[in-house]
Amino acid sequence: GDAELHGQPIFRVWTAPPLNGRHRFFCGGRCMCGPREDTKYNVCAWVCVSLPSIFFFSICAPFLWNEVSPVFPVAAAFFFV
């Protein structure tokens, strides 16, 4: 039951009974992905995050750095990470 799961890393809890999840864990349990069926949704999510970020940091950030203030690109990078 819950007693033997208490205090274990989360990636061990998710793969132990009664949960028996099909989730995949990477980086020692720090990154969790869904089952293989979710790969296309995961790729779609990463593309929807990455493309606007690449556009911002390659086109908008240099303009803001030079014409407005370096504070804006630095703050954006801080919040992005």
Side-chain angles (χ1 to χ4, degrees), residues 7-45:
Q8 292 186 24
I10 190 71
F11 65 94
R12 292 212 177 111
V13 174
W14 274 79
T15 56
L19 297 176
N20 286 338
R22 295 181 303 159
H23 298 82
R24 295 173 292 151
F25 295 91
F26 304 98
C27 301
R30 290 180 182 87
C31 299
M32 180 176 100
C33 294
R36 298 233 180 256
E37 296 85 27
D38 290 346
T39 301
K40 59 185 170 186
Y41 303 112
N42 208 355
V43 169
C44 179

Side-chain angles (χ1 to χ4, degrees), residues 44-56 80:
C44 179
W46 276 106
V47 166
C48 289
V49 168
S50 299
L51 288 181
S53 299
I54 291 169
F55 172 75
F56 176 79
F80 181 75

